[in-house]
Structure formats: C-alpha cells, structure tokens
Amino acid sequence: MTTTTTSSSLAPPRDRDRDRGRGPRGLAWLVLRQHRAAVWTFGVALLVLLSALGTLYLSITDYVADHGLADVCTAGWACAPDGTIGAFSDELADPVHYIGRVVECLPVLFGMFVAGPLIARELHSGTYKLAWTQSVSPLRWLAAKLAVPATAVLAGFSLLSAAYTSVWRAQPLPVIPGQWWWRSFPMIGVVPVAHALLALALGAVAGLLLKRTVPAMGAVLVAYPVIAGLLESLRGGLVGPVTELSAEMPGLIRGSDDWVTGRGMIGQGGGRMPEPDCGIGVDPADCLAQHHARGWYVDYHPASHLWPLQWAEAGLSLALAALLAGGAVWLVRRQWP
C-alpha cells in the first residue's frame, strides 16, 4: 500500500512569527520587547506623576474651597488675609511648580532615548541588519523604530499634560506669581506634547548621523535646549500683542493675567523707543521731554491669548518636527539606498 503525498503537505509550515516581523507592526512589537525595561519605567513614572497630580488636585480644590479663595482673590496677595496664600504656596504651589518642571524636561529625555538606545546603539552594534535581512526596508525599519515612542508621547504626554493643566488651573493663580500662565507656558496645554514629538524627531536625526549611543544622546541634550530657547524667544510674536498708549509710564506688570512683552516711548514721528534710559527718580513727563517723545506704549498679551499662543507654538513645533523627520528619511535613503 502506498501513500500519496501532495506537494503542499511537504512544504514547511508557514513561519507566522517571521512574517509578522517583516512588517512595521512586527518590528514595533520587537522594539517593545527589546526596550521593555524602558517601557516599564516610563509606565511606572507616568502612573506616579498622574497619582501625584490627582492628589494635588483634590488638595488644592479643598484648600481653595475651605478658605474662600475661588471668588475673592483677584487683586493679589492682599485679598487673602491671615497668611492663607503663604500657607498655600508652602504646602501646594511648590509641588505643582516642581512637577511642572518635570513635565517641561521630559521631552529632552525622550529625545535622548530615541537618539541613543533606540537608534544609535543598534546602528553601532549592527543588529539592524537582522531586520533588513527579513525583507524589511530601511524606511520601514525607521518607521517601526519611531512608532513606539511616538505612540507613547501621544498617549502618555496627552494624559500627563491634561492632568497637569487641570491642577494648574485649580490654583488661585492671581496670587501665585510663579504660576502665571506665561511662566507655566511650556508645562501646560498642547505645547508639551508638540515639544516631545519635536524632541523625538531630533533624536532620530542625531542617532542616524552619529551612530554612537553617548554622542547621539549628548547631541540631543545640547541641541534641544537651543531649539526650545528659540521657540521661547519667538513665543511673544506668534500672536499679535495688544498695544496701549498713555501719557504715564506703564508698569512692567499690568495685571495678574497680563504678560507684558515690551514698553517704551512713542516719538514725535510715531517711532518707538523701547525701554529708554530715564535715570533714577526722573518724572515720566520729564523723561518724555528729554527724549522728545509724546507718550508711552505697552505691548502685552492678556490671558485670552493663552490658547491661541499655545496652538501657534504647537503648530510651529510640529512643523519643525516634520522637517527633522524628513531629514531622517533623507539620511536613511542616502546611507542605505
């Protein structure tokens, strides 16, 4: 008796794991497995920060309600007698501020992770060749490498920024000078998420260029603060400020919610003289006469400009991130055509 065997039964079973590894989804899963320690660290840190912010939110809302600060505090420290604002600052405002600094600094840490352990280390060790031998193109490899941190940024940073913004808004802000909206700008709203995506794109370029873990991480550590400083210098001009003219010298602080970006004199011909030197104790009228000016001006952003400025800077950050991502694609195509 003979047995007839078809050619299909003789063929080796399909290696589903290998087939999955050929696509971006399989590679993304591989990235998660390779860097599971970092993924767990990020997840635990996120939970800790969210828990701390939740506790702070409840403490702040209870304190504001117990001391009647929600409605009466609009004129500065004097509106809250008996040192209630000082006690609030000591107990609650400082932790909010320091957590905000952590939120502000997290993007550069993500960029360093992408530049070093995620890309540069693999290029240096040569392990990227294993993926490329499995019918994965260099561009698909890069896309998979960036999918994991980009997803973490969009999910984790959105949650963290929303939680921190809720805590920040729960404070009696008019009496907490360190928490004015223009000073907390990179910690709240959509800007931290956009900054994190910008840092990730910067990390990808640094890793592809340097191909060494420590130099790539160092490059991000140096370059990102420069870019963040540039964005900060442009921030006040992303939305047109409000300008007011007066005969009296305006103060640097108009109100608790106004961000003054410039002041000075208006000349007889209409030209501006920013921050003229009047000397100490000189009367504003005499200062005008000295400089042959006809009045003073002040440029400022009211609190209503917060969200237009947020979206404008976020858009600019995403545009820079797109340019850097395009640069990363160009580098991959140039080095591994």
Side-chain angles (χ1 to χ4, degrees):
M1 181 177 180
T2 60
T3 303
T4 303
T5 306
T6 62
S7 59
S8 61
S9 64
L10 294 175
R14 183 178 180 182
D15 192 341
R16 297 180 180 178
D17 293 337
R18 183 184 62 187
D19 290 342
R20 283 200 302 266
R22 289 177 179 175
R25 292 183 179 179
L27 279 176
W29 177 250
L30 179 61
V31 171
L32 283 172
R33 288 181 59 84
Q34 287 178 327
H35 302 280
R36 54 185 176 271
V39 172
W40 278 106
T41 301
F42 169 71
V44 171
L46 179 62
L47 287 176
V48 170
L49 287 172
L50 290 176
S51 299
L53 288 172
T55 302
L56 277 173
Y57 180 83
L58 294 176
S59 300
I60 289 172
T61 53
D62 288 344
Y63 192 98
V64 169
D66 292 343
H67 294 83
L69 301 180
D71 300 321
V72 300
C73 279
T74 58
W77 288 76
C79 72
D82 302 327
T84 54
I85 293 301
F88 175 87
S89 180
D90 293 339
E91 296 176 13
L92 299 171
D94 287 344
V96 174
H97 174 74
Y98 291 127
I99 292 179
R101 290 300 181 188
V102 172
V103 175
E104 184 180 5
C105 294
L106 277 179
V108 70
L109 297 180
F110 270 83
M112 293 171 65
F113 168 75
V114 171
L118 198 64
I119 293 181
R121 180 183 297 171
E122 187 159 345
L123 293 176
H124 182 225
S125 63
T127 54
Y128 67 95
K129 296 178 182 178
L130 178 61
W132 294 3
T133 59
Q134 303 297 319
S135 302
V136 175
S137 68
L139 286 180
R140 291 172 69 187
W141 170 83
L142 177 65
K145 281 289 182 181
L146 296 182
V148 172
T151 302
V153 164
L154 291 174
F157 260 86
S158 296
L159 283 173
L160 184 59
S161 180
Y164 183 79
T165 302
S166 298
V167 172
W168 176 81
R169 296 181 67 177
Q171 299 179 100
L173 293 179
V175 291
I176 308 296
Q179 304 286 18
W180 285 328
W181 63 268
W182 63 91
R183 293 185 178 177
S184 300
F185 194 89
M187 312 170 192
I188 59 176
V190 295
V191 165
V193 182
H195 282 188
L197 291 173
L198 173 59
L200 294 185
L202 177 63
V205 172
L208 291 169
L209 279 175
L210 299 177
K211 302 182 181 66
R212 296 291 190 276
T213 302
V214 175
M217 296 177 72
V220 174
L221 184 61
V222 172
Y224 177 80
V226 174
I227 297 175
L230 176 62
L231 290 172
E232 183 179 0
S233 67
L234 297 174
R235 184 175 299 155
L238 295 176
V239 174
V242 175
T243 299
E244 287 189 3
L245 305 177
S246 67
E248 297 294 330
M249 180 187 296
L252 288 174
I253 300 177
R254 290 177 43 79
S256 57
D257 288 337
D258 294 335
W259 174 27
V260 176
T261 58
R263 68 171 186 171
M265 294 180 181
I266 300 292
Q268 296 295 336
R272 289 190 169 196
M273 292 178 282
E275 294 291 342
D277 183 14
C278 295
I280 299 175
V282 177
D283 183 85
D286 295 336
C287 188
L288 288 175
Q290 290 177 12
H291 292 85
H292 306 287
R294 58 185 177 88
W296 296 85
Y297 75 89
V298 58
D299 295 330
Y300 69 96
H301 288 287
S304 59
H305 284 191
L306 168 59
W307 294 111
L309 285 168
Q310 279 270 322
W311 287 109
E313 183 163 330
L316 180 58
S317 300
L318 292 177
L320 291 174
L323 287 175
L324 288 170
V329 171
W330 179 82
L331 285 171
V332 169
R333 287 180 173 176
R334 180 175 180 270
Q335 298 181 46
W336 301 283

